[in-house]
Each structure stands twice: as structure tokens, then as C-alpha cells.
Amino acid sequence: MPSNEHARDPYLPPATQPVRGVVWAIHLAVPLAGLWLLLAYPDRLNIRWEHPPSHFLLIVAVAGVNVALGALISQAATRRGDARLLLVSLVFLSSAGFFLLHGLATPTVILDQGSYGFDIGQPVGLTVAAVLAFVSSLPLGERAAAAVLARGDLMRAALVVVLVAWAWASLVEGLTPLSAQPPQGGATIGVVSWIGAALYALSAVMMFRIHRRRPSAMLVSLVTAYALLGEAMVAGFYRPNWLMSWWEWHLLLTLAFVFVAYSAYIQFRREGSSQGLFDSVALAATVRRIQAQYDEALEELVGHLRRMGESGTGSKAPIATRLAGKFRLNEGQAAVLDRAGQALAAERELSTRLGALVDVGRQARVGLREEAMVAGALERVREAYGDVRIGLVSNGRVAVGSREFTVDDFKETEPITGGGAVVHPLTVKGVLAGALEVPVGTTRQDEALAATLASQLSIALENARLYRELETLFRQYMSPDVAASLLADPDQAALGGSLVELTALFADLKGFTSFSERVAPGEIVEMLNRYHAAAVPCVLRHGGTIVQFVGDALLALFNAPATQEMHAAQAARAALAMQEAAEEIAAGNPGYPRFRIGINTGMALVGNIGSPELRGFNAMGDAVNVAARLEGMAEPGTVVIGATTREQIGEGATVRSLGALSLKGKEQSVEAFVLTALA
């Protein structure tokens, strides 16, 4: 025969679930099949066996078990503040109470003969329990659950009053019809039994749906108990008393209660505590609250363990003992909680350190200076690694805290251990550039993590110095946008380009040639540098990219290579700002030439132009050529814009029309405007 070990394990592989479902269905179908056989063959199978003492002892024993279950569930309901557990406890208490009254009314025990109370006591109790079972299986909302809990004591008291009143009416002869002798064959509650059976069936189905979401042995036992109670109501419909069909519903009640009791016992043996026996039956909100409490307790333990690890002092016993008392854990469970806390603390520490490594890698980005990188990395890694220190090489020596090292101290880049810390070298292109001091770790991952951190910091340090060199060499020869784009994607340096809409700005100095003829070359350079020093920030501040300087002229692009909204308006603002800055320079230097600026918007081919040996970033197209021609038509100190630029700027521009101009190289005339102000 196959082992029945899996029958006690609620957490089975998915492959075993269909088998368990079939076995469970067979267990529920067998009693109904047995009832059918008893009714189909009354003479041979449905025999009469009247033995009041056996009946009384059976009921008293089962009712006692059921009362104990109801009390346990009621205690869990009070402890958890859960409405479903309260209702389930009332299911067991009401069915147990009426079952006990049925036993007390057994003929020849207290009464000399049977009574209505004896016959219908248990069906009535099962019907009351069926209503409670149905309500308990509903997905009670927050308000409904609160209303049930608020009336918990009232419902318990009402149940006690009903049971006492039923006992008095059934056991005191001549007091009420319940103590009178029933008709021949016994009494039933008729169609109400079928209503109760239907309620139990619905309750079992809805509880099974909860089990599908939260699999547990206790929910399975409760589903089975509800189903068996429903079958007991069906079996109890068939009379007369003392026949095998009558005894069957007693057996079904016994199986229902004992099944739940057995499941609770197995879970108690497994966990060693009654604290969470019925938590799986609780409402979803209660389960979430319980889980939050467990998470909070575990976090408290983890925090305590981490603080112990940082300080190196303290005992974990007080916190573990307090949590064990709070959640009523036995010694084994407290030990498991302790190990789980240590494992989670180690995992959190590992995650924190890995996160610090990632953050250090992020700091190794374009434009971050070495000092800022080191300061930021030091602040971040100290959160994860403790008292970390970083020192950089200066005059062939590196100081880390109170310790000082030379290049020769690090042979083959091996770390140096001592003083409760490990010192790892930081290298740039294989040459010692600094040192990292990390406290000695306590786990086997600490050494590897510290080495990885040193490697990551070395890369970040090398990148910071490389970008500083690029800042000095690369960026001074091109726009920051172009430099950043090339650093992020070197493939952009390939020859070729793409067609985009842009706004081109041409500017040069009117009268530069005559000025150059009458002054010394040094003064020419000084004048150009002063003008360009004022003009370049105006372009960059408005998102433009300066493509080239040609003597006294410059070309700037807007919306290329970086995408830019309202690029025509930005180019116009940059041009007006350039003229304002140039006027201030010219006012203090009589005889200086003046800027003239031309702007035009349109499609152009933007990309790298040249040869494999030497190339430059530029733009080509009619829109750029027209901007150059407009600049040539402009008067000193003015800004001339094309019609497309004027249209994209909108109503905020103050312009003076120049009409349709005939430009060199253009067959058709071009409408132009002098821009004087921009809102």
C-alpha cells in the first residue's frame, strides 16, 4: 500500500495535488454512497441498533472535543481581532452545544423516553451553525468585520442563553412540547435540513477558494468539516431513530469534528505552539497584519544583530527571548528565528555593499572631478563598509588614516592586513595612485567585496583623471555637446551625417580687415579673444553648439547635434545677447569693429566631414548658406533673420522688414528681417 505520509503534509508538489483532490472527493462521496445503500437495502443493511449508553458516551466525548476546538478558535479570534475566526468558533460551539444537548436527552439517561428536543436538537444546532459557517466563508469587508467583532460577546452570550433555554425546555418533562414524546419513528425539521445542507455546501466551496489562494492543512480540514456537516444534515433527514442510517449522521458529525481536531494536533506537534494554528483561516486583512508583525519582528532582530556586528558587543539573547515571548514561540522556533535573522542580516549587509559598489560605478561619469568623486565614494561606502578611508599618492607616498605607505609597500598589488583593517592599493594604468582601508570583515564574502570595491574605485579614479585630461584637451577645441556626444558614443565620429532641421547662426566683425591693417598683430588677437570670450557664453547658455571659428567669424548651430525645443527662438536670444555684450566691449574701445549676425532656419546635413585622417563636425545645406548670406547683408550691431526663423519665433519678436533680398548664389529672392527685440 502507498505511504500515507503525504496525507499529513499540506505543502505538496503540484503533481500530487490532483491525486489528493481525487482522494478527498472519494472521502466525501463514500458517506453518501453508504447512505444510499442503507436506504436501498433496508432489510439487509439498515438494521436497528438501540444502545443509549453508547450513544451518550459518543456524543459527550465528541462534544467535548468540539467545545475545546471552539474555545481555541475563539481565543485565536480574540488575540488576532479577526471576525472570521470568531464566526468559525461559533460554528463549532453551537454545533457542539446542541450535539451535547442531543446526548443529554438520550432516552434512559436523564429522560425515561425520547423527546422532540432529543430528535431535533442536533438538526437545529447544525442549521444555526450552517448560517454562521456561510457568513464565515464570505469575504467580509473592513466595516462588516468590525461590526461582527463589536458584537462578538453578544453573540456568545446569546448562544449560551439559547443552549440553556433549549436544555431546560427539552429535559424538564411536561414543561414544553420539546420534552414531549415525538411521533413514532422520530421528528425532523423537514426542508430546513436541506437548506442547511446547501449552506454548508456553499461554505465549503468558498472556503476551498480561500485555500486555493492560501494553501494550508487547517483550511482543508475546515472545508472537509463543512462538507461532512452538510452530509450529516442530509443523513439526519431520514428516520426512524436507532437505524444504521440514523447512526450515520452521528458518525459524520464525529468525523467532521475529529478531522479538524486531528489537523490542529498535527500542526501543534509540528510547530510546538498553538499561537498560529488557525491563522490561515483568518481574513486576508488579518493575515496581512500578522505578516507585517512577523516582518517587523524580524526587522527588529536584524537591526539588533547588525548593531551588534558594528559595535562588536552586546548579546542577542534578550531580543530573541522577548520576540519568543511576544509570539509564543518554543525554543526550537526561537532558534530558527535567530538563524533567519542572522541570515537576513548577512543578506542585507551584502545587498548594501553591492549597492555601494554600483553607486561608486555610477559616480565614474563624464565631468565628475577627482575630488568630488573621492568624497562622494567615501561617503557612500562608509554607509555599507563602516570606517573606510581613502588616501591618494602625493610625492610617492600615500597616507591612509594614521598609516603611511610607499609604492614599494604594495608588491604585486596585494593588500596589506594589520591593525584591524585591510589596505588595498588603488591603481591607475597599473601604477599606484592611492590606497583604500577597509575594516576586516566577518564573512567569507567580505574579502572579495573589499577587493572589488578597490577595483571599482581604481576604475573610477582612472576615469576621473581621464576626463580631466579630456576637459583640458578635448573640450577646449569643440562644443561641450559635441564632446559629450563623442565620449558617450565614439561611433558618432564616423564620416557622414543626417538630415535635420536646425537654426544656423553666423557672426563676424564688420571692418575687421581695415582694423587689422592699422594695428599690431598682438592687438588683433587680444580684440578677437575679448569678443569671442563674450560671445561664446551667450551661445552656450542658450543651448547652441559652436561648430567653428574662422578668423573673426563663428558658426553656431541650434538643435544639432543635441535636440532642442524652440531652437529658432533660442538662437535669436543668443544673437541679441551677443550684440549686447559686444556693444559693451566696443563702447570702451573706440575703433573696434562691430558684430553683425545672420540667422536662418531650415533643413541641413549635419555630421562629420573630412577624411579618415582629419575630420570636423559641421553642417551643410541651403539653410546654412542663407544664414551666411544674411550675415553679410547685416549692418554692424544688428541681427538679420530669415522668414522661416521669423515664423518659428512667433509674435514675440520685434522686427523690421528688409523686404525680399537678392542673395549671392540664390536664384529666388529671400525675405529678411532685422530683429531688434524678443519677448
Side-chain angles (χ1 to χ4, degrees):
M1 294 181 62
S3 171
N4 63 352
E5 177 183 357
H6 286 169
R8 297 191 298 271
D9 188 359
Y11 304 105
L12 295 178
T16 67
Q17 297 301 322
V19 177
R20 293 187 65 205
V22 171
V23 173
W24 182 73
I26 292 175
H27 287 168
L28 295 181
V30 166
L32 293 179
L35 177 62
W36 176 79
L37 287 173
L38 291 174
L39 297 177
Y41 301 96
D43 296 333
R44 285 185 292 173
L45 299 178
N46 199 19
I47 61 176
R48 180 182 179 86
W49 184 59
E50 184 174 355
H51 195 270
S54 298
H55 178 268
F56 177 75
L57 293 176
L58 171 67
I59 290 178
V60 170
V62 174
V65 172
N66 209 17
V67 168
L69 277 175
L72 281 174
I73 301 175
S74 179
Q75 183 183 20
T78 303
R79 184 171 62 249
R80 299 301 190 192
D82 186 83
R84 175 174 290 152
L85 289 176
L86 172 62
L87 292 169
V88 172
S89 70
L90 291 175
V91 170
F92 282 84
L93 291 174
S94 61
S95 57
F98 278 97
F99 199 35
L100 179 61
L101 293 180
H102 173 71
L104 293 177
T106 302
T108 72
V109 174
I110 295 179
L111 300 176
D112 295 333
Q113 58 186 4
S115 66
Y116 270 102
F118 171 73
D119 280 6
I120 67 172
Q122 185 55 30
V124 169
L126 283 177
T127 303
V128 174
V131 175
L132 294 170
F134 177 74
V135 178
S136 73
S137 62
L138 295 174
L140 299 177
E142 185 176 347
R143 294 180 61 183
V148 171
L149 286 174
R151 294 164 176 80
D153 292 337
L154 179 61
M155 288 189 288
R156 293 188 185 98
L159 178 60
V160 172
V161 170
V162 170
L163 290 174
V164 171
W166 190 277
W168 182 265
S170 300
L171 299 178
V172 178
E173 295 184 10
L175 184 64
T176 67
L178 290 177
S179 61
Q181 186 174 0
Q184 185 68 26
T188 68
I189 59 175
V191 71
V192 178
S193 295
W194 296 98
I195 296 175
L199 289 176
Y200 277 122
L202 291 174
S203 304
V205 170
M206 288 190 285
M207 279 294 183
F208 180 73
R209 294 180 64 183
I210 298 174
H211 167 72
R212 292 289 298 272
R213 295 192 297 269
R214 300 199 302 262
S216 76
M218 188 54 63
L219 275 171
V220 170
S221 66
L222 195 59
V223 170
T224 306
Y226 282 176
L228 291 175
L229 290 176
E231 293 183 0
M233 293 212 71
V234 174
F237 182 79
Y238 297 98
R239 300 288 172 172
N241 298 340
W242 304 108
L243 296 179
M244 287 295 104
S245 57
W246 181 81
W247 279 100
E248 182 176 1
W249 68 261
H250 293 76
L251 179 62
L252 289 172
L253 285 173
T254 301
L255 290 176
F257 303 148
V258 170
F259 190 77
V260 176
Y262 179 72
S263 297
Y265 171 74
I266 291 298
Q267 188 169 337
F268 175 80
R269 286 287 303 271
R270 181 181 298 159
E271 298 181 1
S273 171
S274 61
Q275 174 75 7
L277 286 181
F278 305 100
D279 287 350
S280 60
V281 183
L283 293 169
T286 305
V287 174
R288 288 193 296 268
R289 187 172 68 249
I290 294 171
Q291 186 61 51
Q293 292 174 353
Y294 289 157
D295 291 343
E296 182 181 351
L298 194 55
E299 289 292 341
E300 186 177 354
L301 180 60
V302 169
H304 182 74
L305 292 172
R306 294 187 68 177
R307 289 190 295 272
M308 283 173 48
E310 293 172 0
S311 63
T313 59
S315 171
K316 64 188 177 186
I319 183 68
T321 301
R322 185 168 64 83
L323 292 178
K326 178 179 179 181
F327 294 98
R328 299 184 182 178
L329 305 179
N330 58 31
E331 185 176 345
Q333 290 172 324
V336 171
L337 177 64
D338 182 39
R339 290 196 297 271
Q342 293 181 20
L344 186 56
E347 180 186 355
R348 292 284 177 82
E349 186 174 358
L350 178 60
S351 298
T352 302
R353 294 186 175 185
L354 290 175
L357 289 176
V358 173
D359 289 343
V360 169
R362 289 174 179 167
Q363 291 185 11
R365 63 181 186 270
V366 176
L368 189 62
R369 296 186 178 276
E370 180 179 315
E371 296 79 6
M373 186 279 296
V374 172
L378 189 60
E379 179 180 1
R380 180 65 183 87
V381 298
R382 277 180 173 172
E383 298 175 1
Y385 290 83
D387 188 18
V388 176
R389 301 182 183 184
I390 300 176
L392 300 180
V393 171
S394 177
N395 297 323
R397 307 185 70 82
V398 55
V400 185
S402 60
R403 307 166 70 181
E404 189 172 285
F405 304 93
T406 64
V407 175
D408 296 333
D409 292 330
F410 294 96
K411 297 180 180 179
E412 299 180 358
T413 66
E414 290 294 326
I416 299 175
T417 304
V422 180
V423 181
H424 291 265
L426 303 179
T427 61
V428 173
K429 297 180 180 179
V431 179
L432 184 69
L436 168 72
E437 184 183 82
V438 182
V440 174
T442 57
T443 67
R444 60 177 181 273
Q445 296 98 344
D446 291 334
E447 183 178 348
L449 286 172
T452 305
L453 175 61
S455 176
Q456 190 78 298
L457 284 172
S458 295
I459 295 173
L461 187 61
E462 185 170 346
N463 286 345
R465 293 184 177 181
L466 174 62
Y467 293 143
R468 184 176 61 185
E469 294 176 6
L470 292 174
E471 183 78 30
T472 304
L473 301 175
F474 197 26
R475 290 177 182 269
Q476 292 181 357
Y477 288 91
M478 62 181 62
S479 162
D481 286 337
V482 177
S485 298
L486 291 176
L487 286 171
D489 184 7
D491 289 341
Q492 293 188 29
L495 294 176
S498 58
L499 193 65
V500 297
E501 183 187 66
L502 54 75
T503 298
L505 182 154
F506 269 99
D508 77 343
L509 293 171
K510 177 67 173 179
F512 174 74
T513 303
S514 59
F515 177 82
S516 302
E517 291 176 349
R518 64 176 184 268
V519 299
E523 190 173 349
I524 297 173
V525 174
E526 180 184 356
M527 181 270 297
L528 288 176
N529 287 340
R530 293 186 65 181
Y531 271 130
H532 289 322
V536 168
C538 297
V539 174
L540 300 181
R541 188 167 61 247
H542 291 87
T545 296
I546 298 177
V547 175
Q548 58 180 321
F549 292 98
V550 181
D552 63 320
L554 65 85
L555 167 62
L557 303 178
F558 294 79
N559 201 42
T563 303
Q564 184 180 13
E565 295 183 0
M566 302 178 64
H567 49 89
Q570 291 294 84
R573 290 190 178 91
L576 293 175
M578 287 173 59
Q579 291 291 27
E580 183 178 351
E583 286 296 326
E584 294 180 0
I585 296 173
N589 297 275
Y592 267 22
R594 308 273 295 283
F595 264 131
R596 56 182 179 178
I597 301 174
I599 299 176
N600 191 48
T601 301
M603 303 300 294
L605 183 66
V606 179
N608 298 293
I609 302 168
S611 69
E613 293 80 13
L614 185 63
R615 67 197 69 185
F617 183 82
N618 214 323
M620 296 183 299
D622 183 65
V624 181
N625 295 336
V626 169
R629 299 292 182 262
L630 293 178
E631 176 259 331
M633 300 291 294
E635 294 296 326
T638 64
V639 177
V640 177
I641 62 175
T644 305
T645 305
R646 167 71 179 83
E647 181 181 351
Q648 291 198 11
I649 292 175
E651 299 299 327
T654 302
V655 298
R656 173 170 54 86
S657 177
L658 294 177
L661 302 179
S662 296
L663 302 181
K664 182 179 179 181
K666 295 285 293 181
E667 295 181 357
Q668 298 180 350
S669 58
V670 175
E671 189 175 5
F673 304 86
V674 175
L675 177 68
T676 56
L678 187 63

